[in-house]
Amino acid sequence: PSLELAKAMPRDFCDMSNDALCIYAAQGHHEAHRERLLREIMNVDKIGWTKAHDKLNEMEAANKKMMFLATMPYKTGVSIAVISAVGSLPMVFDLTTALWFNEYFVTADVAEPEDLETWLEVGAWTWSWMEPPLGHISFFLLCLQFGRNQMLNLGLKPYTGRLQAFRAKRLGQKYSKYSELIVTDFAISAEWHS
């Protein structure tokens, strides 16, 4: 390649042709959707690229409205998963934690002291009463995952799909003077957090 060819290479989405931008947008790149919306704003409002950023920033803020509450199920799930993962280790393998939990919640017979000398022996003792809840929780999550996949097979939208559709419809209605396809594509591909 020549130096001229290298200089002519687009370095960002704002440097790309409309055709190249549409290809990236079709592949789901949010920055491509963002640049398409920016060009749509320029075209409809008859303003320059720099000035169009004001309207784009307004639309981005409107798209993120109420997302703190809408993402609470995900944030709660992450918190529960991390706490459960970290908490399960001492519940099974730490003698002090296992003895405390057994005293207040399980009330099973404590193994002989010579059978609790290593963390693996503690795990062998606690597993008799930790296996049922851990096994059931695993089976419960497996069933939920299976159910979600069957919803997708039927073309139904689980929570994430409904939330994306809600955001896209809300932004499309609020800014109806712009292309509905471009606005909704932008809304769907945008991040959910600030």
Side-chain angles (χ1 to χ4, degrees), residues 115-149:
D115 292 334
L116 298 174
E117 292 175 350
T118 68
W119 61 275
L120 289 173
E121 290 176 331
V122 172
W125 168 59
T126 59
W127 194 246
S128 65
W129 41 271
M130 287 301 291
E131 184 179 20
L134 292 177
H136 179 74
I137 289 168
S138 298
F139 182 72
F140 178 73
L141 292 173
L142 180 68
C143 289
L144 288 178
Q145 185 178 16
F146 178 75
R148 181 184 185 279
N149 285 335

Side-chain angles (χ1 to χ4, degrees), residues 103-122:
E103 180 180 345
Y104 292 102
F105 299 101
V106 181
T107 66
D109 293 334
V110 178
E112 297 298 321
E114 62 269 6
D115 292 334
L116 298 174
E117 292 175 350
T118 68
W119 61 275
L120 289 173
E121 290 176 331
V122 172

Side-chain angles (χ1 to χ4, degrees):
S2 66
L3 182 58
E4 291 76 28
L5 183 63
K7 286 180 180 179
M9 180 186 73
R11 285 168 176 72
D12 204 346
F13 288 104
C14 63
D15 300 329
M16 292 184 183
S17 69
N18 290 337
D19 291 339
L21 200 58
C22 287
I23 291 170
Y24 276 103
Q27 294 173 348
H29 291 272
H30 174 67
E31 290 302 315
H33 289 297
R34 189 175 189 276
E35 182 63 27
R36 281 182 71 213
L37 181 55
L38 199 56
R39 293 180 189 185
E40 174 70 4
I41 293 167
M42 291 170 63
N43 180 46
V44 172
D45 294 350
K46 307 292 186 237
I47 55 177
W49 189 79
T50 305
K51 186 75 174 155
H53 276 85
D54 294 336
K55 178 58 80 174
L56 181 64
N57 292 337
E58 174 189 317
M59 293 174 80
E60 284 179 323
N63 196 38
K64 290 184 179 182
K65 187 177 182 185
M66 297 184 347
M67 287 310 295
F68 178 80
L69 291 175
T71 57
M72 283 306 291
Y74 299 108
K75 295 171 185 173
T76 303
V78 168
S79 299
I80 290 171
V82 170
I83 290 168
S84 298
V86 172
S88 68
L89 294 173
M91 294 287 284
V92 174
F93 298 110
D94 179 61
L95 181 59
T96 305
T97 307
L99 288 170
W100 173 84
F101 191 79
N102 182 53
E103 180 180 345
Y104 292 102
F105 299 101
V106 181
T107 66
D109 293 334
V110 178
E112 297 298 321
E114 62 269 6
D115 292 334
L116 298 174
E117 292 175 350
T118 68
W119 61 275
L120 289 173
E121 290 176 331
V122 172
W125 168 59
T126 59
W127 194 246
S128 65
W129 41 271
M130 287 301 291
E131 184 179 20
L134 292 177
H136 179 74
I137 289 168
S138 298
F139 182 72
F140 178 73
L141 292 173
L142 180 68
C143 289
L144 288 178
Q145 185 178 16
F146 178 75
R148 181 184 185 279
N149 285 335
Q150 297 315 307
M151 287 177 69
L152 293 173
N153 289 340
L154 291 170
L156 302 174
K157 294 181 179 178
Y159 182 72
T160 301
R162 288 195 319 268
L163 186 57
Q164 287 175 326
F166 168 76
R167 284 179 66 185
K169 184 178 179 182
R170 180 183 66 184
L171 198 67
Q173 288 174 344
K174 185 169 183 173
Y175 297 96
S176 58
K177 73 177 184 176
Y178 304 111
S179 164
E180 183 181 7
L181 176 64
I182 293 174
V183 173
T184 56
D185 282 349
F186 168 80
I188 289 171
S189 70
E191 290 183 348
W192 292 17
H193 53 83
S194 300

